[in-house]
Structure formats: C-alpha cells, structure tokens
Amino acid sequence: MNNLIIDAANDKILFKIISLNKSYTSDYPNSRENFDKLALLLFNFFKKNNIKLNEIDNVFVNQGPGKFSGIRSSIAVAKAISITNNLNLYGFNSNQLKNQKYEKILDLFKKGVLIKNLIKPQY
C-alpha cells in the first residue's frame, strides 16, 4: 500500500510517500510561486521517484492550522487527484504530528481516527 502525504501548512511544502518497505520525501519553500505550481511540483516528485499516480492508494493532507495559502492549495490538489484517480482522501491536523513524524499519520489511519473524505480546513 502506497500512501501520499501532502503538507503545506508550515514553513515548507512537503510531499512524502510511505509504502511497506520504502519512503520518499521532497520539500520546497512555502512561497506564493510554489503554491501556483503545486500540482507540477507533485508530478515532478512522482517522476523523480519513478512512481505512478495509479500506484497510490491513500492521500493524506494537512488541513491545518497553519498558513492559509498553503492549506488551500494543498487541499485543492489533494482533492483533485483523489477525485480524478478514485483515491481515498483523509485530512489530518498539524497538532496530530509530533516532531514531523509522518508515520504517526499512518498509525492514526490504521486506528480509524482519520475520517475518509472529510476535509475541514483550519486556518
């Protein structure tokens, strides 16, 4: 199972893929110009790591609290790719992360804490 995590609520835009035996991470400055091309950055991340979108099972997006533009952009991209590719979409909150340990999000998912397709931005 391949899981995509998108987090643009803080100082960096982060893409992370966690699978059973591998993990890929890329980050970019949290800036207006990167928000405008967030989808392109994501597809370049896939290409760089030789991952196809149809290999992704779940998308997790940080819904805040955090930076308004980062949250809005990342949620829009996450919703778009989940709808067009029939992927499961889950939102998580910044306060559910401890020390940028994104594996914790997968633990919350396995415990059933995250609700599918329920995204509530928190600015």
Side-chain angles (χ1 to χ4, degrees):
M1 180 179 294
N2 292 322
N3 301 287
L4 170 64
I5 298 172
I6 302 173
D7 185 355
N10 299 304
D11 294 332
K12 298 218 177 227
I13 297 170
L14 179 123
F15 302 126
K16 186 171 191 80
I17 292 181
I18 301 174
S19 63
L20 294 175
N21 55 0
K22 293 181 185 176
S23 176
Y24 305 96
T25 305
S26 189
D27 61 35
Y28 304 90
N30 195 334
S31 67
R32 174 69 185 178
E33 68 183 42
N34 283 339
F35 297 145
D36 291 343
K37 60 181 182 180
L38 192 65
L40 292 174
L41 293 173
L42 180 60
F43 289 119
N44 286 338
F45 170 68
F46 287 146
K47 186 176 181 179
K48 176 182 166 187
N49 293 296
N50 198 27
I51 297 169
K52 294 180 175 57
L53 194 51
N54 64 0
E55 297 173 335
I56 302 295
D57 299 300
N58 301 305
V59 178
F60 300 91
V61 62
N62 189 341
Q63 55 193 5
K67 297 186 178 196
F68 178 83
S69 296
I71 293 168
R72 297 294 291 173
S73 299
S74 60
I75 288 174
V77 168
K79 280 185 176 183
I81 63 170
S82 69
I83 290 170
T84 58
N85 295 283
N86 199 26
L87 304 175
N88 299 318
L89 176 64
Y90 299 90
F92 66 93
N93 298 325
S94 295
N95 60 6
Q96 292 174 307
L97 284 176
K98 302 285 189 224
N99 301 321
Q100 303 298 328
K101 302 280 186 192
Y102 288 93
E103 292 76 12
K104 172 77 172 158
I105 300 305
L106 296 182
D107 291 339
L108 294 173
F109 166 67
K110 290 174 187 171
K111 291 177 183 175
V113 174
L114 304 178
I115 300 170
K116 184 176 176 182
N117 295 327
L118 180 63
I119 305 299
K120 290 184 172 185
Q122 299 175 2
Y123 307 109

